[in-house]
């Protein structure tokens, strides 16, 4: 009934979330966890860190990112007031976050307003030797907005959108 993607900087944080938060919700009857190996394409936001070393964020940077997540159009002055710092500091830190490829500033398109009202996620079992090729082909399709390889379970997770359920079904069957 619910697909949720979450990102945690540590396995311990993910474990705590799954077993201390999600599993204690009375409404959640069963969970299945599929670990993401790599983002091949994502229409919005987070993109995978290709290096082996995680990037450590200062509390100041984490607060800045959280403020931007709440209101990406807020001015430096508004964010500075909210965080109790100067607009020059906000500008400097934001510029560093963008230059270091920690965040990307993008517009999020409301696809349903543009007529993309049919959406689906496909979990594909694929031959390991063909996984990267399949991801490359899928990432090139305009109807595909997310492609991820999985560590366990399914090989590839694909997010699709289309204007009608019929066209979405045709896309799944024919491509």
């Amino acid at each position: 009934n619910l697909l949720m993607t979450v990102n945690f900087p540590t396995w311990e944080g993910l474990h705590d979330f799954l077993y201390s938060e999600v599993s204690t919700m009375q409404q959640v009857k069963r969970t299945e966890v599929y670990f993401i190996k790599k983002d091949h394409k994502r229409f919005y936001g987070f993109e995978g860190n290709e290096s082996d070393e995680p990037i450590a964020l200062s509390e100041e940077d984490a607060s800045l990112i959280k403020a931007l997540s709440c209101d990406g159009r807020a001015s430096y002055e508004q964010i500075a007031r909210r965080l109790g710092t100067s607009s020059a500091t906000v500008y400097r830190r934001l510029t560093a976050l963008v230059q270091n490829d920690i965040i990307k500033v993008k517009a999020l398109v409301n696809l349903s307003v543009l007529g993309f009202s049919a959406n689906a996620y496909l979990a594909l079992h694929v031959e390991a030797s063909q996984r990267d090729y399949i991801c490359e082909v899928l990432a090139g399709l305009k109807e595909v907005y997310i492609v991820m390889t999985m560590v366990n379970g399914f090989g590839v997770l694909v997010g699709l959108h289309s204007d009608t359920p019929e066209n979405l079904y045709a896309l799944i069957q024919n491509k």
Side-chain angles (χ1 to χ4, degrees), residues 1-142:
N1 294 354
L2 175 68
L3 174 66
M4 176 174 46
T5 60
V6 295
N7 299 295
F8 284 88
T10 65
W11 288 108
E12 292 80 16
L14 175 61
H15 182 273
D16 290 347
F17 174 74
L18 292 173
Y19 295 101
S20 299
E21 300 289 331
V22 175
S23 67
T24 61
M25 296 178 189
Q26 292 180 354
Q27 300 85 351
V28 175
K29 303 299 181 205
R30 187 178 99 201
T31 61
E32 293 181 34
V33 178
Y34 298 98
F35 297 103
I36 298 166
K37 181 176 181 181
K38 180 179 178 183
D39 278 340
H40 293 267
K41 176 182 182 180
R42 201 180 273 227
F43 184 73
Y44 58 91
F46 177 78
E47 295 183 13
N49 176 12
E50 297 296 327
S51 76
D52 291 333
E53 292 297 317
I55 298 168
L57 287 178
S58 68
E59 286 186 35
E60 185 178 54
D61 287 344
S63 295
L64 176 57
I65 291 170
K66 185 176 181 179
L68 285 170
S69 297
C70 292
D71 182 3
R73 294 176 43 165
S75 68
Y76 297 140
E77 292 80 16
Q78 291 170 321
I79 295 170
R81 277 194 303 275
R82 184 179 205 184
L83 300 180
T85 189
S86 71
S87 58
T89 297
V90 169
Y91 173 79
R92 187 178 69 254
R93 295 305 318 141
L94 179 58
T95 300
L97 290 168
V98 171
Q99 287 176 344
N100 291 318
D101 210 25
I102 296 171
I103 65 171
K104 295 187 183 298
V105 180
K106 296 181 177 183
L108 295 177
V109 178
N110 184 346
L111 294 171
S112 63
V113 172
L114 298 176
F116 292 95
S117 59
N119 301 283
Y121 281 96
L122 300 178
L124 307 174
H125 290 281
V126 299
E127 293 291 329
S129 63
Q130 296 296 307
R131 186 175 47 217
D132 288 341
Y133 170 74
I134 290 168
C135 289
E136 184 180 319
V137 170
L138 290 169
L141 299 175
K142 67 177 180 151

